[in-house]
Amino acid sequence: MAERLIYLPLGGAGEIGMNAYVYGYGAPGKERLILVDLGVTFGDMDGSPGIDLIMPDIAWLVENRSRLEGIFITHGHEDHLGALGHLWSRLDVPIYARQFTGALCRLKLEEAGLPGEAVNITGPRPEVTQLGPFTVQFVPVSHSIPESAALIIDTPAGRIVHTGDFKLDGTPVVGDPFDPIMWHEIASEGRGIKVLTCDSTNVFSTHPGRSEALLANPILEWVMAQKNMVIATTFASNIARLKTLSEAAIASGRKVCLLGRAMRRMVSVGLETGVLTDFPDTISPDEAAAMPRGKVMLLVTGSQGERRAASAQLSRGRYLGLSLKEGDSFLFSSKTIPGNERPVGRIMNAFSELGVDVYDADDGLFHVSGHANRPDIEALHDLLKPEIVIPMHGEHMHLREHVQIARAKGLGAEIVTNGTMIDLGGERPRIVDQVETGRLYLDGSVLIGSMDGIVRDRIRMALNGHALVSVIVDEDDNVLPDAWVELMGLPGRTRSGEDLARHIEGELSEFLESADNRTVRDDAKMDEAIRKIARQVSMEEIGKKPEVTVIISRLMAD
Amino acid sequence: MAERLIYLPLGGAGEIGMNAYVYGYGAPGKERLILVDLGVTFGDMDGSPGIDLIMPDIAWLVENRSRLEGIFITHGHEDHLGALGHLWSRLDVPIYARQFTGALCRLKLEEAGLPGEAVNITGPRPEVTQLGPFTVQFVPVSHSIPESAALIIDTPAGRIVHTGDFKLDGTPVVGDPFDPIMWHEIASEGRGIKVLTCDSTNVFSTHPGRSEALLANPILEWVMAQKNMVIATTFASNIARLKTLSEAAIASGRKVCLLGRAMRRMVSVGLETGVLTDFPDTISPDEAAAMPRGKVMLLVTGSQGERRAASAQLSRGRYLGLSLKEGDSFLFSSKTIPGNERPVGRIMNAFSELGVDVYDADDGLFHVSGHANRPDIEALHDLLKPEIVIPMHGEHMHLREHVQIARAKGLGAEIVTNGTMIDLGGERPRIVDQVETGRLYLDGSVLIGSMDGIVRDRIRMALNGHALVSVIVDEDDNVLPDAWVELMGLPGRTRSGEDLARHIEGELSEFLESADNRTVRDDAKMDEAIRKIARQVSMEEIGKKPEVTVIISRLMAD
């Protein structure tokens, strides 16, 4: 049977975040593999309470580890490299990344006690990495973090361009500008481009993307107009934005203070790796607190309302000796990611109560996106003229829209979601397998499966409350008459004002007194009967059925 | 001491939703009172898991019930009347509303087993309701539900205009158009307007509000362009929108089918009370299922992604014999309320998977807001020339922005949030009291206080899981050696693969075996020690500290 060129997304195809894409080439079932990106996404109270990080279930890849040649990381965002510290040890293959990204990869590994030397720093095209049947080049693209890269993956079956996250920006402030001539070259070499695997995040934005450089003037004007302390937040990794903001500060006679671990780390990695130059000297929080308010700009983490980040801390009062006051000005130089509106709104309102003037980026003056909009995506299609477009990094609706755009141009295009393996080697893409995929949750320090029922139980307790029933059966299989009920997350009083726990106990005692021997001897039967009574009584008295846990203690004869 | 004119918001001032505003006039502490609106807001998983409805804590009003003359309901939205069924019995005073709103108030009361006759149907200005020192008129305003009203509240201390929710719409499709001449009259009568209590919801929208009538053509063109089944969702109470959508259906040769109880109810109340005329005949779901797909428009509930509404049901598959298919077109003729992005997105993606084309209102063609934007608010200020503007119905940042706008015009303006009582009778508004306010949660069928700790416990269980420990102490104060641990919402296995519950039991047994008599005899000491061990062991083994409930059963000598 002929060789296959397979593509298998394990994360990021059908969602935004948690990117992980497998490519393979070889005889069916024996393809040599590479992985592109290994990212995380974040939990939320709605779907995954108590979960810090969510990452792709890479069981398939672990099973086929002997075929895996290496991991390529396109850029340093958490949704592209955040799972390395948690999952790399299950794969144990070399990682390839450009310098700044590689430094972040090493930090991830080392923080998890893993060897940073697994990361191989790779230069941009024309440098190539040869791994099995793959020849891979990193192509600089612009995005909202320095040193983002698309990958050229050359295989015996043809050339794949995997865009990673990208935008078309001729003046990105930090990092490499979009280079149409190089892309034209890439499209013209050899047989041209067989497959374009392409970022879909912003496919619904109909205007052309705007350059990072456009922000310098509006931000400078805004900073100049503020009289007291200026505070600005953006993603810690958006180093270009940090540079623009801090340059505006300096130009208006202010000193810059970085607040938030992630931000200080990004700036220092940026400086160490040389991607960031001319970043102004910063001052410490103590120094900032001692300066006149009109002479300071704080650059702070927490643009998405994260509870522990600097923005949230400042909104709750004093943080590292600094507190915001009437007349200060706070700028969200960021877009609120859908789902984060409530926490961001809470912070804005808290600032409002302090008398702080809040500015957001809604009018477009203070933020530009890092992703290609629809016209930019179309421009890339036109420039690269791939045989097949495979949209990636998007929810289903983004992938579908992207496919429709490509097909309208006469290009081949397919929706391929997590777990679907397709063969791209033939005339037309062909589904060849469905792989079990899913999500792993980092819960405290343990990785659990999203379908293990643990989080489902948490959600149920949160919605329904939890009733605990303890009953004791003595040595002679007699139930002691008093059941004990404890409630957690349930109203103490019924509609008529009675004590709910005592009321359930009363009903349980009645049952236990008359329970026959066969029931009493059988844990499962007892459990079921007690649970049923507790739920029924609750339904009658408070209109809801709690989760119930029954503990039956059986005393043993000495 | 002189009479006071007091204003006391109990809900809606510092939040969007849950409106409830008290006005009073008389000697200090003896003011006669009226209440304007008594609404709800909705719970969410983040802050109030398991809670269906949230309403203002009206304890202060209940205490002062003997002074309360009546309740005025400005319009029929849940955030203005939704608490009547739950709280009216604690107040037991007449309710005043216009006809359509009054019909909805009666339904609320009757569904709760309360007397619908408490509702007095009141005509618009010039009809007046005289209650104690208050003379009240309902002034028709446009909003996103028929028969919205502002209130003119005349008192011996001057005239108050309470806008309710409003927009300036000369062509609202259903209901009364904005009438600048009448408003001019209202502002010119007597001593003019002392206080304008004014909707602030859209104060950050900088363009003038747009008319409902603008939607007819874009919607008609859109419907005409669709080939298969057309489905549209909007708020059930937006009867003007339902009319526009269904007229577009009829004009393009389609029949209309209403899906969702709330929508059918709104249309029937609209027809019964005469606010809705010329609504096309509708067909049943069975009839719709039997028609060619290109001949049907479904109007469905669930524009905010509500789990049980028709949109969500359709996104999950078959609903009432209907199912959506490749090539159907679904229109969100609505704005997603901040915080609902995730559930709405889930539905959009589910439709995408079914091959349904989804259209939203992001480009402004298919939805207009029901609230006055900033220029409209300013126009009302200019038209009414009040001495004092009190912004209401908004989060803190909305109220603050609104105050700044009013002050910039030289008007008096104050931020007054829930629980702050101000006297508007003097030269300048003056804070005279801070009243305990808060939120009541409807949990199942029981009203609980938001600060009772019940919901806090639910959130903690959801974040941390719940460990239950049962220990038995015998008649002689000896602890039986085996503690029993049950886990809910916690990983079963530790990092090293051990069974977590058994591991905790082991550690507890060690402690219990060596516990001294003083500890064993003392429930509180035992509880604390056991809890501490369970949390510590969990922290070591899985990296998180669960909630722990300890049940100590003490056997009694016979």
Side-chain angles (χ1 to χ4, degrees):
Chain A
M1 208 169 152
E3 269 74 21
R4 300 196 303 201
L5 173 60
I6 62 169
Y7 166 70
L8 167 64
L10 296 175
E15 69 203 328
I16 292 179
M18 207 179 86
N19 293 275
Y21 307 92
V22 178
Y23 292 93
Y25 183 81
K30 298 190 173 146
E31 297 89 352
R32 302 303 298 173
L33 308 172
I34 57 171
L35 173 65
V36 177
D37 290 337
L38 190 54
V40 294
T41 189
F42 299 95
D44 61 50
M45 188 71 184
D46 270 326
S48 52
I51 299 301
D52 301 313
L53 290 179
I54 300 175
M55 53 203 87
D57 184 349
I58 56 164
W60 184 89
L61 208 53
V62 173
E63 257 170 55
N64 294 280
R65 186 168 64 161
S66 63
R67 300 200 271 134
L68 184 63
E69 301 275 357
I71 303 172
F72 292 84
I73 302 294
T74 59
H75 63 283
H77 278 152
E78 292 295 323
D79 59 337
H80 294 260
L81 59 65
L84 282 176
H86 306 285
L87 297 180
W88 178 82
S89 58
R90 301 183 183 192
L91 300 172
D92 195 9
V93 294
I95 297 166
Y96 300 86
R98 296 176 68 196
Q99 188 167 26
F100 172 78
T101 310
L104 295 173
C105 291
R106 278 184 182 154
L107 282 171
K108 283 279 171 211
L109 292 179
E110 285 163 3
E111 280 172 358
L114 299 170
E117 310 84 67
V119 180
N120 299 276
I121 303 299
T122 312
R125 170 183 159 94
E127 190 170 324
V128 301
T129 302
Q130 185 78 48
L131 280 189
F134 301 102
T135 307
V136 181
Q137 299 174 65
F138 285 84
V139 184
V141 294
S142 34
H143 183 43
S144 47
I145 186 171
E147 268 200 2
S148 288
L151 300 176
I152 299 172
I153 305 170
D154 282 316
T155 75
R159 171 166 280 193
I160 298 164
V161 170
H162 181 102
T163 65
D165 291 352
F166 79 102
K167 67 184 287 191
L168 307 183
D169 193 337
T171 50
V173 178
V174 169
D176 313 278
F178 173 63
D179 181 349
I181 296 177
M182 180 173 60
W183 280 106
H184 178 72
E185 217 175 76
I186 291 166
S188 319
E189 288 167 358
R191 289 175 288 161
I193 293 170
K194 183 164 181 70
V195 179
L196 173 66
T197 317
C198 187
D199 180 11
S200 310
T201 314
N202 275 10
V203 70
F204 289 109
S205 298
T206 51
H207 60 279
R210 299 180 313 132
S211 170
E212 187 69 28
L214 282 178
L215 301 178
N217 278 332
I219 286 177
L220 177 59
E221 279 171 29
W222 177 81
V223 175
M224 304 268 290
Q226 308 312 313
K227 304 227 167 7
N228 294 316
M229 193 179 277
V230 166
I231 311 94
T233 184
T234 189
F235 278 105
S237 56
N238 196 336
I239 289 188
R241 190 69 46 79
L242 297 180
K243 192 171 183 210
T244 302
L245 287 162
S246 54
E247 283 174 352
I250 301 301
S252 58
R254 292 170 185 268
K255 298 280 190 189
V256 174
C257 171
L258 300 177
L259 282 190
R261 207 174 66 96
M263 199 167 271
R264 287 197 311 276
R265 169 165 152 167
M266 277 292 167
V267 169
S268 77
V269 174
L271 292 168
E272 282 161 24
T273 55
V275 301
L276 182 61
T277 50
D278 308 327
F279 196 81
D281 288 338
T282 59
I283 59 174
S284 72
D286 284 350
E287 290 170 302
M291 304 259 307
R293 300 187 83 72
K295 295 292 180 196
V296 176
M297 176 190 277
L298 308 180
L299 283 178
V300 306
T301 51
S303 64
Q304 299 304 312
E306 300 92 330
R307 271 191 64 79
R308 290 172 214 145
S311 295
Q313 304 266 17
L314 286 169
S315 80
R316 292 194 288 266
R318 216 169 171 74
Y319 179 58
L320 300 178
L322 291 160
S323 51
L324 306 196
K325 290 208 168 69
E326 174 96 34
D328 289 343
S329 303
F330 193 105
L331 175 63
F332 281 83
S333 180
S334 55
K335 185 197 152 208
T336 302
I337 293 174
N340 294 339
E341 289 78 3
R342 283 205 179 105
V344 170
R346 267 194 290 277
I347 289 176
M348 288 181 168
N349 281 306
F351 286 143
S352 177
E353 288 181 33
L354 294 171
V356 173
D357 293 314
V358 175
Y359 297 79
D360 64 27
D362 279 359
D363 53 11
L365 290 175
F366 306 128
H367 179 66
V368 296
S369 170
H371 292 275
N373 289 354
R374 182 183 170 129
D376 313 313
I377 291 171
E378 296 204 50
L380 195 71
H381 292 175
D382 296 345
L383 190 59
L384 300 190
K385 297 183 186 64
E387 286 174 33
I388 301 163
V389 174
I390 305 289
M392 57 144 183
H393 207 193
E395 298 171 7
H396 194 281
M397 58 182 168
H398 299 90
L399 306 183
R400 184 165 181 266
E401 181 79 5
H402 195 159
V403 160
Q404 287 174 345
I405 292 170
R407 287 190 182 157
K409 288 180 186 294
L411 303 174
E414 291 295 336
I415 301 176
V416 185
T417 53
N418 295 339
T420 300
M421 184 192 291
I422 59 168
D423 177 10
L424 294 160
E427 282 290 293
R428 296 168 53 89
R430 196 171 53 95
I431 295 177
V432 290
D433 204 357
Q434 287 290 345
V435 163
E436 286 264 345
T437 52
R439 298 175 148 213
L440 295 175
Y441 290 162
L442 181 66
D443 188 30
S445 57
V446 181
L447 282 175
I448 60 178
S450 62
M451 306 302 277
D452 288 0
I454 296 162
V455 164
R456 181 203 60 206
D457 283 349
R458 283 188 200 160
I459 293 174
R460 287 185 180 164
M461 288 192 291
L463 296 174
N464 308 323
H466 195 189
L468 324 174
V469 182
S470 166
V471 297
I472 300 177
V473 181
D474 75 9
E475 299 84 341
D476 307 319
D477 284 342
N478 296 313
V479 188
L480 302 195
D482 298 324
W484 187 262
V485 173
E486 290 270 348
L487 304 177
M488 182 96 165
L490 284 163
R493 301 267 153 198
T494 67
R495 249 174 312 183
S496 52
E498 261 190 287
D499 186 305
L500 177 61
R502 300 297 85 80
H503 190 79
I504 299 173
E505 285 171 2
E507 298 285 325
L508 286 174
S509 290
E510 253 179 60
F511 158 75
L512 293 171
E513 275 166 26
S514 62
D516 59 45
N517 258 356
R518 266 185 45 214
T519 306
V520 170
R521 278 200 214 104
D522 185 331
D523 273 4
K525 274 196 183 143
M526 284 277 279
D527 190 281
E528 196 195 325
I530 289 170
R531 182 187 305 269
K532 198 173 153 192
I533 292 167
R535 285 166 66 86
Q536 208 167 314
V537 172
S538 297
M539 192 65 203
E540 283 158 20
E541 298 298 327
I542 61 164
K544 68 192 294 173
K545 289 184 178 172
E547 302 305 300
V548 179
T549 297
V550 181
I551 299 185
I552 301 165
S553 305
R554 293 179 186 275
L555 303 181
M556 302 293 178
D558 290 326
Chain B
M1 207 170 152
E3 267 75 22
R4 300 197 303 201
L5 173 60
I6 62 169
Y7 167 70
L8 167 65
L10 296 174
E15 69 203 327
I16 292 180
M18 207 178 86
N19 293 274
Y21 307 92
V22 178
Y23 291 94
Y25 183 81
K30 299 191 172 145
E31 297 90 352
R32 302 302 299 172
L33 308 172
I34 57 172
L35 173 65
V36 177
D37 291 338
L38 190 54
V40 293
T41 190
F42 299 95
D44 60 50
M45 188 72 184
D46 270 326
S48 53
I51 299 301
D52 301 314
L53 289 179
I54 300 174
M55 53 202 88
D57 183 350
I58 56 165
W60 184 88
L61 209 53
V62 173
E63 257 171 54
N64 293 281
R65 184 168 67 161
S66 63
R67 300 201 269 136
L68 184 62
E69 301 275 356
I71 303 171
F72 292 84
I73 302 294
T74 58
H75 64 284
H77 278 151
E78 291 296 321
D79 60 337
H80 293 261
L81 59 65
L84 282 176
H86 305 284
L87 297 180
W88 177 81
S89 59
R90 301 183 182 191
L91 300 173
D92 196 9
V93 295
I95 297 166
Y96 300 85
R98 295 175 71 195
Q99 188 167 26
F100 173 78
T101 311
L104 294 173
C105 292
R106 280 185 180 152
L107 283 171
K108 282 282 171 209
L109 292 178
E110 285 163 2
E111 280 172 359
L114 300 169
E117 310 85 64
V119 180
N120 300 276
I121 303 300
T122 311
R125 170 183 160 96
E127 192 172 320
V128 300
T129 302
Q130 185 77 50
L131 280 189
F134 301 102
T135 307
V136 181
Q137 300 174 64
F138 284 85
V139 185
V141 294
S142 34
H143 183 42
S144 48
I145 186 171
E147 268 201 0
S148 288
L151 299 176
I152 299 173
I153 305 170
D154 283 315
T155 75
R159 170 166 282 191
I160 298 164
V161 170
H162 181 102
T163 65
D165 290 353
F166 78 103
K167 67 185 285 192
L168 308 182
D169 193 337
T171 50
V173 179
V174 169
D176 314 279
F178 173 62
D179 181 349
I181 297 178
M182 180 173 61
W183 280 106
H184 179 73
E185 215 176 79
I186 291 166
S188 318
E189 287 167 0
R191 288 175 290 161
I193 293 170
K194 184 163 179 71
V195 179
L196 173 65
T197 318
C198 188
D199 181 11
S200 311
T201 314
N202 275 11
V203 70
F204 288 110
S205 297
T206 51
H207 59 280
R210 299 181 314 131
S211 170
E212 187 68 29
L214 284 177
L215 302 178
N217 278 333
I219 286 177
L220 176 59
E221 279 172 28
W222 178 82
V223 174
M224 304 268 290
Q226 307 313 312
K227 304 227 165 9
N228 293 315
M229 193 179 278
V230 165
I231 311 94
T233 184
T234 188
F235 278 106
S237 57
N238 196 336
I239 290 187
R241 191 68 49 77
L242 297 181
K243 195 172 182 210
T244 302
L245 287 162
S246 53
E247 284 173 351
I250 301 300
S252 58
R254 291 169 186 267
K255 299 280 191 189
V256 174
C257 171
L258 302 176
L259 282 190
R261 209 173 65 96
M263 201 168 269
R264 289 198 309 278
R265 169 165 152 166
M266 277 293 167
V267 168
S268 77
V269 174
L271 292 168
E272 281 161 24
T273 55
V275 300
L276 182 60
T277 52
D278 308 327
F279 197 80
D281 288 338
T282 58
I283 59 174
S284 71
D286 284 350
E287 291 171 301
M291 305 257 309
R293 300 187 85 73
K295 294 294 180 192
V296 177
M297 174 190 277
L298 308 180
L299 283 178
V300 306
T301 52
S303 64
Q304 299 304 313
E306 301 92 331
R307 270 191 65 77
R308 289 170 214 146
S311 295
Q313 304 265 16
L314 286 169
S315 80
R316 292 194 288 265
R318 216 169 171 72
Y319 179 58
L320 300 178
L322 292 159
S323 52
L324 306 197
K325 290 208 168 71
E326 174 94 35
D328 290 343
S329 303
F330 193 105
L331 175 63
F332 282 83
S333 180
S334 55
K335 185 198 151 207
T336 301
I337 293 173
N340 295 338
E341 289 77 5
R342 283 207 179 103
V344 169
R346 267 195 290 277
I347 289 176
M348 288 181 167
N349 281 307
F351 286 143
S352 177
E353 289 180 34
L354 294 171
V356 173
D357 292 314
V358 176
Y359 298 79
D360 64 26
D362 279 0
D363 53 12
L365 290 176
F366 306 129
H367 179 66
V368 295
S369 170
H371 292 274
N373 288 355
R374 183 183 170 129
D376 313 313
I377 291 171
E378 294 205 49
L380 195 72
H381 291 174
D382 295 345
L383 190 60
L384 300 190
K385 299 184 185 63
E387 287 174 33
I388 302 163
V389 174
I390 305 289
M392 57 143 183
H393 207 193
E395 298 170 7
H396 194 281
M397 57 182 167
H398 299 90
L399 307 183
R400 183 164 182 267
E401 181 78 5
H402 194 158
V403 159
Q404 287 174 345
I405 292 170
R407 286 190 182 156
K409 288 178 186 296
L411 303 174
E414 292 295 336
I415 301 177
V416 184
T417 53
N418 295 339
T420 299
M421 184 192 291
I422 58 167
D423 177 10
L424 295 161
E427 283 291 293
R428 295 168 55 89
R430 195 169 55 92
I431 295 177
V432 292
D433 204 357
Q434 287 289 346
V435 164
E436 287 263 345
T437 52
R439 299 174 148 214
L440 295 175
Y441 289 162
L442 181 67
D443 188 30
S445 57
V446 181
L447 283 174
I448 60 177
S450 62
M451 306 302 276
D452 289 1
I454 296 162
V455 164
R456 181 203 58 206
D457 283 349
R458 283 189 201 158
I459 293 173
R460 286 185 180 166
M461 288 191 291
L463 294 174
N464 308 325
H466 195 188
L468 323 174
V469 182
S470 166
V471 297
I472 300 177
V473 181
D474 75 9
E475 299 84 342
D476 306 319
D477 285 341
N478 296 315
V479 188
L480 302 196
D482 297 325
W484 187 262
V485 172
E486 289 271 347
L487 305 177
M488 181 96 166
L490 284 163
R493 300 268 153 199
T494 66
R495 251 173 310 184
S496 52
E498 261 191 287
D499 185 304
L500 177 61
R502 298 299 84 80
H503 191 80
I504 299 174
E505 285 170 3
E507 299 285 326
L508 285 174
S509 291
E510 253 179 59
F511 157 74
L512 292 171
E513 273 165 27
S514 62
D516 60 46
N517 258 353
R518 267 185 45 217
T519 306
V520 170
R521 279 200 212 103
D522 185 331
D523 273 5
K525 275 197 184 142
M526 283 278 277
D527 189 281
E528 197 195 324
I530 291 170
R531 180 186 308 267
K532 197 172 155 194
I533 292 167
R535 287 165 66 85
Q536 208 167 313
V537 173
S538 298
M539 192 64 203
E540 283 159 20
E541 298 298 327
I542 62 164
K544 66 193 292 172
K545 289 185 178 173
E547 302 305 300
V548 179
T549 297
V550 181
I551 299 184
I552 301 165
S553 305
R554 293 180 185 276
L555 302 180
M556 301 294 177
D558 290 325

